[in-house]
Amino acid sequence: MTAAFTSGYVRGLALAAREAQAAIAMADAETRRALLESMADHLLAGQGAILAANADDLAKAAANGASKATLDRLALNPERVRGMADALREVAAQTDPLGEITRSGTRPNGLVIERQRIPLGLVAMIYEARPNVTAEAAALCLKAGNAVLLRGGSEASASNGAIATCLHAALREIGLPDAAVSLVADTAREHVLELLQLSDLIDLAIPRGGESLIRFVAEHARVPVIKHYKGVCHLYVDRAADIELALGLLIDGKTSRPGVCNALETLLVHREIADDFLPRALDALRLHGVEVRGDEATRGFDPSLAPATDADFDAEFLELIIAVKVVDDMPAALAHIARFGSDHTEVIATTDGAAAQAFVRGTRSSAVMVNASSRFNDGGQLGLGAEIGISTTRLHAYGPMGAEALTIERFVVRGEGQRRHPPMG
Amino acid sequence: MTAAFTSGYVRGLALAAREAQAAIAMADAETRRALLESMADHLLAGQGAILAANADDLAKAAANGASKATLDRLALNPERVRGMADALREVAAQTDPLGEITRSGTRPNGLVIERQRIPLGLVAMIYEARPNVTAEAAALCLKAGNAVLLRGGSEASASNGAIATCLHAALREIGLPDAAVSLVADTAREHVLELLQLSDLIDLAIPRGGESLIRFVAEHARVPVIKHYKGVCHLYVDRAADIELALGLLIDGKTSRPGVCNALETLLVHREIADDFLPRALDALRLHGVEVRGDEATRGFDPSLAPATDADFDAEFLELIIAVKVVDDMPAALAHIARFGSDHTEVIATTDGAAAQAFVRGTRSSAVMVNASSRFNDGGQLGLGAEIGISTTRLHAYGPMGAEALTIERFVVRGEGQRRHPPMG
């Protein structure tokens, strides 16, 4: 299979990026901090060129009949460019993730064993229409001493090129190689296939976008992949919930931004609180224009509701629709989440500490919220500054990934000539 | 491709193992500790059955013309059974890796953000002739709250079955499900292919064995894989090395057990110390029966040596052969390691702290030894108790992997009703 895709175009870019990575890894914390600040400066200075390129992308996308949602994701304006620059400055200001000795100890034979954080190496980002990913992914990778290979969507080609030009200017200004941020400018799909085969050069691929992009990457990759397919996030309202608080989490989780992965998709209600909670919840959802699909017990409160099917409980609606189910107890809620959940975000509303503890223990998701909105599962909100993605892959990183998730710990051993076998005779 | 391998045999085992994993994850630290102790007891109690099964395996392997090395890896005796039991008790005694809050902090909005260690889930081990892997991999997985799917080599089938019987007895005694340790008893290769496709059930596959097994797994896996292909370990003798110390590291690294991955394969010598060091090193190697293949400068000290080719510098000899090269300076040594190294173990012998620091910074390998033998790159020697494998995959774990490497950190967020958007009007 590989042979068909070895144009060598992406291999050339990856080789150059990998070579450049050594210089990034050797740069000290202050140099990498200054680099990110300079990247932010150059983005602001280059705003005119970026917005002009973006206008070209938008015109082409509109002519190709792109959806309103795609056009919104693609569109830049001065505020969004400033947002990119601000994110870069936030990452720049974070504690340096490299070189840290995470653990150390001494063995009986006197060896000092340290664990030390080092960069992953070369990270490949494969994403869709959002041009801000170009700047933010580059910043997080460079902060952690990595190089990055960026393959954005074809609809954002001009915007990504203009942004990369700014990032390269910053690299040159600081005296680091351009190739540490390498854009796969030719967005033909066979180049993605070639990229995914480069297991000798690429240490990690992170796909970000719709489920079909991510499945395509997972299916074809020979390089390690960290991903999340979708966010089917649950709010479980325990019998001991504070009803006002639970209503707040429900409306915030479902309506504050329904198109994102940390929005709520399913509401599970303990049977003993259903009489008090559900009528008010259904009213509030109606007031906010949310369509409710309910199980039989829920429809007992409002027979006009559409019945919820297994497909509804499995769905990431990404719009103002919610599936609602009444459960007999917490184990039933956890069983529902185990069956339909996506390991993304689960929320419990309860005033009972033991129930909260049991819920946290009973779910394997990457983020569990006790009396807090699902919408907080986001790198910025959790204090990571920015995120390169959210992992629901139970390996390496789980949940939002910041700069530290782009490092690895290795062993450094310091001795005085210790050998496994006795000295030579 | 998948369709051809869906006999469902391995899927059934994996489903049962995954279901059993929930019980292991919910078991408290003391229960998991007692389980590992009981596994050790049952191995000792079942020694007769294990050795009888092993005798059958050995007879079959000998009849099939297995190599002496394979027979040695396969063979059990009372001492080796005791070694397995001891390893299990060591892992049992380790600090519990689960539930630990690795970090916590409070956000400006009052949210308390914690990172908490939880199990990976279901781990698949794919290995060759060593039956002790059956017990040790199971112990490490269970210690960290995981279930394990074990696919050993066909030559060890009876031994692995007898060991698994002991482990199952321990699980039952403690009241935990047998299926948490599931042996793929039918070792037909198509079942390995089926296993490698089960990305909805298996969180991590770890292949352990020869390079061809590992390449087979890497080529066919749709599940995440952590692996190491080979160990091409280097000793760099700096110009400021203590010569006696360097000679000790050389002989220990090359001769104490040449067939293992942390043995030395290449010696790099700084030009300025070559006159003092190399003649003594060549004598010592000769005395220990080591064949030396040298570059031109090395052969200047002994023209009878065979010349070292690039293939020699790339080789994991696994026998009493070493490739030797004289380098102009440390950057040349690091460049050699970057070109030929396998990210496994590199050693520097030096009395110069700055040189040691530069060497550590300049190599990306999973373990770097300063004045200590490469043979210490081993889970037991580094304090992990046992190891499920050594990773040279720069993701999740890098270097020897103990129980903690079989966990992942997730986010737990505790709030008081915090929402992303202002309260409802």
Side-chain angles (χ1 to χ4, degrees), chain A residues 300-322:
Chain A
F301 292 92
D302 179 355
S304 76
L305 298 178
T309 64
D310 277 3
D312 290 318
F313 288 121
D314 203 40
E316 186 184 33
F317 295 115
L318 298 175
E319 52 181 317
L320 289 174
I321 305 175
I322 194 166

Side-chain angles (χ1 to χ4, degrees), chain A residues 26 103 119-120 219 222 252 360-361 366 368 370-371 375 394 396 404 410-411 413 415 417 420-421, chain B residues 26 103 119-120 219 222 252 360-361 366 368 370-371 375 394 396 404 410-411 413 415 417 420-421:
Chain A
M26 297 299 274
R103 259 167 294 187
L120 286 188
E219 179 63 26
R222 283 285 169 280
D252 191 62
V360 169
R361 275 178 68 91
S366 61
V368 189
V370 177
N371 294 327
R375 298 287 331 286
R394 291 170 79 80
H396 186 76
E404 193 185 286
R410 57 118 169 238
F411 290 86
V413 179
R420 280 288 286 273
H421 272 239
Chain B
M26 296 298 276
R103 258 166 293 186
L120 285 189
E219 179 62 26
R222 283 285 170 279
D252 191 64
V360 169
R361 276 179 67 91
S366 61
V368 189
V370 177
N371 294 327
R375 298 290 330 288
R394 293 170 76 81
H396 185 77
E404 193 183 287
R410 59 120 168 237
F411 290 86
V413 179
R420 283 286 287 271
H421 272 238

Side-chain angles (χ1 to χ4, degrees), chain A residues 28 58-59 77 95-96 120 126 147 160 209 219 291 304 350-351 387 411:
Chain A
D28 61 22
L58 283 167
N77 54 39
T95 308
D96 185 54
L120 286 188
I126 302 161
N160 289 337
E219 179 63 26
E291 177 190 336
S304 76
T350 189
T351 57
E387 69 186 25
F411 290 86

Side-chain angles (χ1 to χ4, degrees), chain B residues 205-228:
Chain B
I206 303 177
R208 241 176 103 170
E211 197 175 342
S212 74
L213 170 76
I214 294 165
R215 293 210 180 272
F216 178 85
V217 169
E219 179 62 26
H220 292 93
R222 283 285 170 279
V223 301
V225 174
I226 290 185
K227 60 188 182 289
H228 87 269

Side-chain angles (χ1 to χ4, degrees), chain A residues 128-340:
Chain A
E128 294 183 328
R130 290 181 200 273
N132 64 309
V133 174
T134 305
E136 290 172 21
L140 288 165
C141 286
L142 294 169
K143 177 78 180 179
N146 301 292
V148 66
L149 200 55
L150 296 161
R151 196 283 191 183
S154 56
E155 62 275 40
S157 278
S159 312
N160 289 337
I163 292 168
T165 298
C166 296
L167 306 182
H168 289 157
L171 281 158
R172 278 196 301 274
E173 185 179 289
I174 302 290
L176 289 167
D178 277 29
V181 175
S182 284
L183 189 67
V184 182
D186 181 343
T187 58
R189 184 158 269 210
E190 64 258 35
H191 297 319
V192 179
L193 286 168
E194 184 191 351
L195 184 159
L196 294 174
Q197 307 304 311
L198 300 175
S199 57
D200 57 330
L201 296 175
I202 292 174
D203 295 290
L204 173 63
I206 303 177
R208 243 176 102 171
E211 197 175 341
S212 74
L213 170 77
I214 294 164
R215 292 209 180 273
F216 178 85
V217 169
E219 179 63 26
H220 292 93
R222 283 285 169 280
V223 300
V225 174
I226 290 185
K227 60 188 183 290
H228 87 269
Y229 286 122
K230 56 181 182 176
V232 180
C233 306
H234 298 77
L235 166 62
Y236 165 62
V237 179
D238 186 46
R239 66 176 161 189
D242 174 321
I243 286 180
E244 296 298 329
L245 184 152
L247 287 170
L249 300 186
L250 171 64
I251 297 305
D252 191 62
K254 184 64 247 182
T255 70
S256 62
R257 201 166 166 202
V260 294
C261 59
N262 60 16
L264 286 179
E265 307 294 2
T266 299
L267 169 67
L268 302 170
V269 182
H270 194 292
R271 190 170 298 281
E272 291 176 26
I273 205 172
D275 282 346
D276 292 331
F277 176 75
L278 257 184
R280 295 190 56 192
L282 296 177
D283 278 351
L285 289 166
R286 195 175 302 115
L287 192 69
H288 284 81
V290 180
E291 177 190 336
V292 174
R293 301 183 185 169
D295 73 338
E296 210 183 300
T298 304
R299 295 177 69 226
F301 292 92
D302 179 355
S304 76
L305 298 178
T309 64
D310 277 3
D312 290 318
F313 288 121
D314 203 40
E316 186 184 33
F317 295 115
L318 298 175
E319 52 181 317
L320 289 174
I321 305 175
I322 194 166
V324 181
K325 184 179 183 176
V326 175
V327 292
D328 287 338
D329 49 22
M330 189 192 297
L334 290 171
H336 180 97
I337 291 169
R339 178 168 172 205
F340 293 104

